[in-house]
Amino acid sequence: MRLYNNRIRLYEIDKQYASYLRSVDSRVSVKDHRPFVGILVSSGKQWFCIPITTQVVPKSGKARRKDVTTIIFDNHQHPIAAVLYNNMLPVYPEFIHDYEVSDPLLKELSLTELRFLNRLSIRDEIIEKSTSVMLKSKHSMLMRKICVNFPKLTKAAKIYYERQMMIDKKKRADPRQQLVDAYVASLEQGKIPWYKGWTVERPYNIVSKTAYKGLNQLILRKLAADQEEYKDPRWMTFKQAKDNGWKVRKGEHGIKLTGWAVFDIEKNKTISLAEFNRRKKEDPDFDKNRYRLFQGRSFVVFNAAQVEGVPEYVRGPIQIKGNELIERLPSQMGVALKHGGDNAFYHPLHDFVRIPDKENFVDDYVYDSTLLHELCHASGHHTRLNRDLTGKFGSESYAKEELRAEIGSSFLMAALQIKPSPAHIRRHAAYIQSWITILKKDPKELEAAVRGAEKIEKYIISVGDWEKELEVTNDGKLKQNETPHKSKSRSSKNNDPER
């Protein structure tokens, strides 16, 4: 055996991993109410974590065996903890992390333990006893009875590791998971990622003219914001390019997106999202409980810049008076607007927005973006989109609502070409850690937030009568600024999966 660090440090094992090992061997000592903390040693290529417990005397009252234990003493020679070699667990770097505590007493206890363990004589004792226990457990029946089953756990740990690596590999290959990971990484750096592509036009399908939605929209927006070659907002499948007489250039790689479909429970058949929306619009007796939305097959799209023969895209001049559109919204939504005070907020009970006087803002853009954000919250009132607005500041439900309003206002700001100011972004810095926690806990929450944000966007564009200014028609399709091009085939009309 050898020590993992030149200076011994404390590590914590992932709870899910430790619980899995306990399911393999019931002698593994794992408690739900406390972390599995220990020091690292290795035997060949396999690493082990030797646990440290503050329970110096076990519940049985019997003294611990000296050959499988090292007692840790404080500066006054009082026993404070014990190193348990008979409960060593095989570990991989992916399932351990540095042990960190914020409680001052626990922090002082950890430092005292480390001072003791890093004595030269104790370091030698750790190596000697861990080696001895591992060897004796192979030959001594008595030692096997008091130790965990090292060979069985080592084999199980390898299986668990390989399985997790396969899962992680699939996640890394999933652009939706990549997007969540990128957003979390950006938030951890103190940046708000959905504002990065504020100048990027909303991506849409060149054939159907339908805008991409949900995470598909964010994936394509992020590409356009990160890479110059994806600035063209038009996308298409390989078949759509071929059917229109265009050619995807050799060596180009497409972007994998996910389509959606709807299951008709009554007819026991799958229908397209377009068909579902048609029925919802035209059937006066439409029953939404008859249908179930589910994630359909994946498909690959290419940017118009990757395809030869596509008509040149010319972005029309932007002449949107965003401040006028935003400042008309309160009356159009039926929300009372009050000025004064130092903070901007929406009051859901009395349905009003309070915002500081305009002269207190750095410029009109900051005022407009702040007002727009609060009106996004107001869209959740029970007389409008009816979202849960009961969460208290600091709660998970409050952070989720803030996430929906933030992404929704970022979509609208991008459409109005209002650049987010550093002051606007700093204003929401308090929520960053909450968003990181939410997205790490459940990556699907980003998709739910985007769906909520798109409902906010659709509602405000509709109630504010912004369609003409934004060149968006009522059915969600975008007008196209490009020279006419006669298609060679009409067969590509419906071959792009729903977004």
Side-chain angles (χ1 to χ4, degrees), residues 98-365:
D98 287 326
Y99 176 58
E100 296 178 351
V101 288
S102 55
D103 183 274
L105 292 177
L106 288 177
K107 197 168 187 177
E108 181 57 37
L109 175 64
S110 299
L111 291 173
T112 303
E113 290 171 346
L114 287 172
R115 281 194 293 267
F116 180 87
L117 293 170
N118 276 296
R119 294 178 184 176
L120 186 58
S121 59
I122 301 303
R123 288 164 58 88
D124 291 341
E125 182 179 322
I126 292 170
I127 295 172
E128 181 184 339
K129 286 189 175 180
S130 58
T131 303
S132 174
V133 168
M134 188 65 71
L135 290 174
K136 288 181 179 179
S137 67
K138 296 179 182 179
H139 309 292
S140 167
M141 183 65 72
L142 178 61
M143 189 63 78
R144 279 201 292 270
K145 284 184 178 181
I146 63 173
C147 291
V148 295
N149 192 325
F150 298 122
K152 186 177 181 180
L153 289 176
T154 301
K155 184 177 180 180
K158 184 179 180 182
I159 293 171
Y160 184 92
Y161 170 78
E162 291 174 347
R163 187 174 64 195
Q164 289 301 119
M165 291 304 100
M166 286 292 291
I167 293 172
D168 290 347
K169 185 178 180 181
K170 288 180 180 179
K171 283 184 178 179
R172 288 194 296 271
D174 181 0
R176 302 162 84 83
Q177 182 63 43
Q178 290 174 357
L179 180 70
V180 173
D181 292 343
Y183 271 29
V184 168
S186 184
L187 288 169
E188 287 177 336
Q189 295 171 12
K191 301 174 183 176
I192 299 180
W194 37 89
Y195 282 116
K196 186 175 181 182
W198 73 273
T199 58
V200 176
E201 291 184 73
R202 185 164 185 169
Y204 66 94
N205 183 270
I206 191 172
V207 177
S208 68
K209 306 298 187 293
T210 304
Y212 291 94
K213 299 177 182 177
L215 289 193
N216 288 343
Q217 176 191 173
L218 288 193
I219 289 169
L220 298 180
R221 274 185 183 272
K222 186 176 184 302
L223 274 172
D226 290 346
Q227 301 180 42
E228 185 67 32
E229 60 266 33
Y230 294 120
K231 293 297 183 187
D232 194 313
R234 301 170 299 168
W235 296 81
M236 70 204 80
T237 63
F238 185 88
K239 187 175 188 304
Q240 286 176 324
K242 183 178 179 181
D243 289 344
N244 281 275
W246 307 326
K247 184 180 179 182
V248 177
R249 285 196 294 272
K250 188 175 181 180
E252 294 286 356
H253 296 282
I255 305 302
K256 187 178 180 182
L257 302 179
T258 302
W260 291 88
V262 180
F263 185 73
D264 185 336
I265 299 172
E266 188 177 298
K267 298 291 185 181
N268 195 30
K269 62 182 286 189
T270 299
I271 62 173
S272 69
L273 200 57
E275 173 62 17
F276 171 78
N277 289 329
R278 186 192 66 77
R279 294 182 187 182
K280 186 177 180 180
K281 185 177 181 180
E282 299 176 1
D283 186 356
D285 300 319
F286 180 81
D287 180 12
K288 67 178 182 179
N289 295 321
R290 170 181 163 181
Y291 303 95
R292 292 289 182 271
L293 180 70
F294 67 94
Q295 188 170 306
R297 65 185 177 87
S298 298
F299 60 101
V300 176
V301 294
F302 295 86
N303 188 262
Q306 298 174 289
V307 183
E308 294 176 354
V310 177
E312 181 183 357
Y313 180 77
V314 180
R315 184 173 183 175
I318 298 172
Q319 296 178 339
I320 302 172
K321 295 182 179 179
N323 61 323
E324 293 181 8
L325 294 178
I326 294 171
E327 290 171 27
R328 287 202 306 259
L329 269 178
S331 60
Q332 291 169 322
M333 292 173 64
V335 179
L337 177 60
K338 301 180 180 183
H339 287 87
D342 298 326
N343 298 313
F345 62 89
Y346 168 66
H347 197 299
L349 183 61
H350 299 293
D351 194 27
F352 70 82
V353 166
R354 180 177 291 280
I355 190 169
D357 293 323
K358 200 168 188 177
E359 57 266 24
N360 292 336
F361 287 86
V362 176
D363 53 40
D364 288 350
Y365 279 161

Side-chain angles (χ1 to χ4, degrees), residues 1 12-14 17-22 24-25 28 36 39-43 45-51 85-96 134 148-161:
M1 289 283 189
E12 182 179 342
I13 295 183
D14 176 71
Y17 174 71
S19 297
Y20 166 75
L21 293 183
R22 180 170 175 77
V24 174
D25 186 344
V28 172
F36 190 106
I39 58 178
L40 294 183
V41 295
S42 72
S43 175
K45 293 182 179 180
Q46 181 63 60
W47 294 98
F48 289 87
C49 185
I50 310 173
Y85 302 97
N86 60 324
N87 200 33
M88 287 187 289
L89 297 186
V91 293
Y92 288 85
E94 288 77 8
F95 310 133
I96 57 173
M134 188 65 71
V148 295
N149 192 325
F150 298 122
K152 186 177 181 180
L153 289 176
T154 301
K155 184 177 180 180
K158 184 179 180 182
I159 293 171
Y160 184 92
Y161 170 78

Side-chain angles (χ1 to χ4, degrees), residues 465-484:
D465 195 25
W466 292 6
E467 287 89 349
K468 291 181 181 178
E469 286 83 353
L470 301 183
E471 295 189 340
V472 180
T473 61
N474 288 325
D475 59 2
K477 295 183 179 180
L478 303 181
K479 292 181 180 179
Q480 191 178 23
N481 295 319
E482 57 186 25
T483 55

